[in-house]
Amino acid sequence: MSERKTPPRGETGAAPATADRSMPEARSRSAALPQPALEIAAGYAFTGPALDLGALLWDGVCLPDAQVRIPLSMLNRHGLVAGATGTGKTKTLQLVAEQLSAQGVPVFLADIKGDVSGISEPGARNEKVQSRAAEVHQRWEPTGFPAEFYALGGIGHGIPVRATVTSFGPLLLSKVLQLNQTQEQSLGLIFHYADQKGLELVDLKDLRAVVAFLTSDEGKAELKNIGGLSTATAGVILRSLTAFEAQGMADFFGEPEFDTAELLRTADDGRGLVSVLELAAVQDRPQLFSTFLMWLLADLFHDLPEVGDVDRPKLVFFFDEAHLLFNGASKAFLDSLTQTVRLIRSKGVGVFFVTQTAKDVPADVLAQLGNRVQHALRAFTPDDQKALKATVRTFPDSAYDLEELLTGLGTGEAVVTVLSEKGAPTPVAATRLRAPESLMAPVDAGALDAAVRASELYGRYAQAVDRESAYEKLDSRGAKGPDEMKAPPAPAPARADDPSVVQQVVGSGMFKSLARSLGTQIGREITRSLFGTARRRRR
């Protein structure tokens, strides 16, 4: 997309975005702030790098000299962006993502509605934007940020993102297939059986072939050897897979599998790359895209080394429509998700859940979210009133009447509390948010497609590959027993004095097939993670 029109900020070049707060006139006016506002503002006077959210609101008045900020070092302590539809959550994501990129931090954005692609283009200067910038003392400059665009399975405008069934794992796939707890456990046994027998599960037809084999006359004996897996349960899983595939879901599973390390890149000018996953084309398949996002996070957790506390995150991951992830989830799934969120902080990854109310997120997960940006809530029904009271109880004590405040906030305003540089919660601050500097609208589809094809990743992931895996092995070997499908027979002994023998054996397809089968089988057995996800070794 277009190049940045202004020099990068912070460590990458020009004056940081907070420069307008350091002006002498701003310091002299701060003493005029009301005492409660002074106390709140003091809680956001950080000394290290920080992201600017906006200006404090007190008694209905915007106080631009009292700036509300998030310390950069605390972005891996996770967060929640919540609020009713139309209150400005998406623009808050855009505002935070821009500043992270400017500070050299890669960002991942899930674009549910298809309107975040504008982050790659400079914003449009207009009266509304200029008015907001003046209100909060923001030096607004139209700026585009380096972006990469992805689409699940290539459905939509973006580089195709695929995962193999093996790496997706039984827990996540059970969530997609909407299996109950017993069926989920049974699917785990099927995965274990495929691992043991060297049957690689690359796409859905591979898994369907293994389940069909286990329910066939030839495979029933094998089914009995897998404790706790009944023919009836296997049949339910097979029917769920068939229906799932018939809905056009097969495109999301296969090779080449997306390497989540691509999300950790920076641009040539030092700014963090913003990875935008377009999900507008699959809005009607919420179980799929929400679970696929969890696979991305689980895979990052699996691969990244421990780094402990860092001065800036390695990646910040925004999980839009987060309530879809938790709806109907099994206890095993929720336990794994909670543990992943808890532990991935030490790997330098921050996770922000984006949803309507705090009650959409389970308490154990909510307890891990140190940064909160709560937009307005509506209270038209008894259920709305209950959600409002529940949300208020999740905030620290404050100088505001939060029930009244949360129902009266305007678009682009929010209640904020974050973790200070010492890890303590900051005072609750009603905030008028800054305006994003990038385009607050979708990029033209033609320009988007051109950017995708120009990406260095397009040639790597665009074309799907269908190699030999479980389906082909079961189809070609027919009535042969599963033990015979483990590996090809060993090559015949050869004379040691023949200089070409070793090259012939190592270079043969038989040897490569055996090595690949053994390597992937051993790798899967060792590296199954919290979600049962697995990954082949990087090439």
Side-chain angles (χ1 to χ4, degrees):
M1 309 304 293
S2 68
E3 294 296 324
R4 183 182 174 94
K5 305 303 181 187
T6 58
R9 295 175 176 171
E11 295 185 358
T12 56
T18 57
D20 52 345
R21 289 192 305 278
S22 63
M23 294 185 294
E25 60 270 25
R27 288 199 301 270
S28 65
R29 288 196 303 265
S30 63
L33 296 176
Q35 185 59 34
L38 276 173
E39 294 174 359
I40 295 172
Y44 293 88
F46 310 126
T47 58
L51 309 186
D52 296 305
L53 291 180
L56 182 68
L57 287 171
W58 181 257
D59 199 21
V61 178
C62 181
L63 306 174
D65 299 320
Q67 292 288 315
V68 178
R69 313 162 69 204
I70 304 179
L72 185 62
S73 59
M74 290 292 118
L75 265 295
N76 69 332
R77 301 299 179 93
H78 312 319
L80 176 72
V81 179
T85 301
T87 55
K89 297 191 298 294
T90 301
K91 298 301 174 280
T92 298
L93 302 191
Q94 198 166 338
L95 174 67
V96 175
E98 289 177 353
Q99 295 185 65
L100 284 167
S101 175
Q103 296 273 11
V105 178
V107 178
F108 175 89
L109 294 176
D111 190 5
I112 303 293
K113 300 182 289 292
D115 56 1
V116 186
S117 59
I119 197 168
S120 62
E121 294 285 356
R125 191 185 297 273
N126 56 46
E127 184 178 344
K128 186 175 180 181
V129 166
Q130 290 182 304
S131 173
R132 174 58 60 96
E135 288 174 347
V136 299
H137 283 188
Q138 175 187 5
R139 290 179 174 172
W140 189 90
E141 290 292 339
T143 308
F145 295 81
E148 198 81 77
F149 300 97
Y150 301 98
L152 285 187
I155 297 180
H157 304 281
I159 296 162
V161 175
R162 305 181 187 88
T164 64
V165 170
T166 284
S167 74
F168 208 70
L171 277 181
L172 293 177
L173 192 59
S174 296
K175 178 75 163 58
V176 171
L177 297 176
Q178 302 181 53
L179 302 181
N180 63 32
Q181 188 169 0
T182 300
Q183 294 158 358
E184 178 183 288
Q185 293 168 347
S186 298
L187 185 61
L189 291 173
I190 293 170
F191 269 72
H192 178 70
Y193 172 82
D195 286 351
Q196 290 289 319
K197 300 301 180 181
L199 298 170
E200 293 182 276
L201 304 177
V202 174
D203 49 28
L204 289 180
K205 72 176 186 299
D206 289 324
L207 181 56
R208 186 159 40 83
V210 172
V211 180
F213 170 75
L214 290 173
T215 56
S216 68
D217 292 337
E218 296 90 344
K220 285 181 180 178
E222 295 294 316
L223 197 62
K224 292 179 181 178
N225 294 330
I226 309 177
L229 180 60
S230 69
T231 305
T233 300
V236 170
I237 294 172
L238 182 61
R239 290 193 294 274
S240 297
L241 278 171
T242 303
F244 185 69
E245 197 168 8
Q247 294 170 16
M249 306 301 185
D251 292 332
F252 305 108
F253 297 92
E255 291 181 322
E257 184 173 74
F258 182 70
D259 185 347
T260 50
E262 311 284 11
L263 304 178
L264 303 173
R265 295 177 297 143
T266 56
D268 293 339
D269 61 6
R271 291 180 296 164
L273 198 67
V274 181
S275 297
V276 181
L277 179 64
E278 181 184 312
L279 297 169
V282 291
Q283 283 188 67
D284 58 338
R285 308 166 199 178
Q287 293 281 353
L288 176 67
F289 73 69
S290 64
T291 312
F292 216 102
L293 293 180
M294 197 63 227
W295 170 78
L296 289 173
L297 190 61
D299 193 76
L300 284 164
F301 173 79
H302 181 269
D303 286 351
L304 288 174
E306 294 280 338
V307 294
D309 290 326
V310 290
D311 60 355
R312 67 187 61 230
K314 287 187 172 182
L315 173 72
V316 177
F317 191 102
F318 289 91
F319 216 126
D320 205 359
E321 300 293 341
H323 64 282
L324 298 172
L325 184 66
F326 306 111
N327 288 348
S330 68
K331 184 179 184 301
F333 182 92
L334 291 176
D335 288 346
S336 297
L337 190 154
T338 303
Q339 193 168 358
T340 299
V341 172
R342 181 182 296 121
L343 298 178
I344 203 169
R345 178 195 68 79
S346 65
K347 300 196 174 192
V349 176
V351 182
F352 275 68
F353 293 97
V354 185
T355 188
Q356 294 205 2
T357 70
K359 74 180 186 66
D360 292 335
V361 181
D364 288 344
V365 176
L366 191 63
Q368 309 299 319
L369 311 182
N371 303 299
R372 299 278 302 277
V373 180
Q374 176 68 59
H375 289 264
L377 292 174
R378 309 303 179 216
F380 300 134
T381 69
D383 285 343
D384 291 341
Q385 289 280 357
K386 189 181 299 184
L388 174 62
K389 292 181 182 296
T391 297
V392 169
R393 287 196 297 269
T394 65
F395 279 90
D397 292 339
S398 77
Y400 299 93
D401 180 343
L402 285 181
E403 282 194 40
E404 180 180 349
L405 178 62
L406 286 172
T407 56
L409 290 171
T411 301
E413 297 176 347
V415 171
V416 175
T417 180
V418 301
L419 292 181
S420 71
E421 292 166 312
K422 296 181 179 179
T426 59
V428 175
T431 307
R432 182 159 293 164
L433 298 168
R434 293 185 167 217
E437 295 182 340
S438 57
L439 185 64
M440 290 186 278
V443 173
D444 175 77
L448 197 58
D449 284 336
V452 169
R453 292 182 179 277
S455 170
E456 63 183 65
L457 301 183
Y458 185 77
R460 194 177 307 168
Y461 295 109
Q463 186 61 47
V465 176
D466 187 12
R467 64 179 175 87
E468 183 187 54
S469 48
Y471 174 83
E472 288 79 13
K473 290 179 180 179
L474 290 168
D475 185 58
S476 64
R477 302 206 176 190
K480 287 188 177 183
D483 286 336
E484 296 178 80
M485 292 187 287
K486 272 188 177 180
R495 289 175 13 209
D497 58 350
D498 186 345
S500 66
V501 166
V502 174
Q503 294 176 351
Q504 290 174 359
V505 172
V506 172
S508 69
M510 181 183 298
F511 183 89
K512 291 178 179 177
S513 176
L514 174 60
R516 184 177 65 209
S517 177
L518 291 176
T520 53
Q521 180 178 338
I522 292 171
R524 285 195 297 266
E525 288 298 314
I526 292 174
T527 62
R528 286 280 177 197
S529 67
L530 293 173
F531 275 102
T533 56
R535 193 160 188 97
R536 296 186 306 282
R537 295 176 182 177
R538 308 285 190 200
R539 288 187 176 88

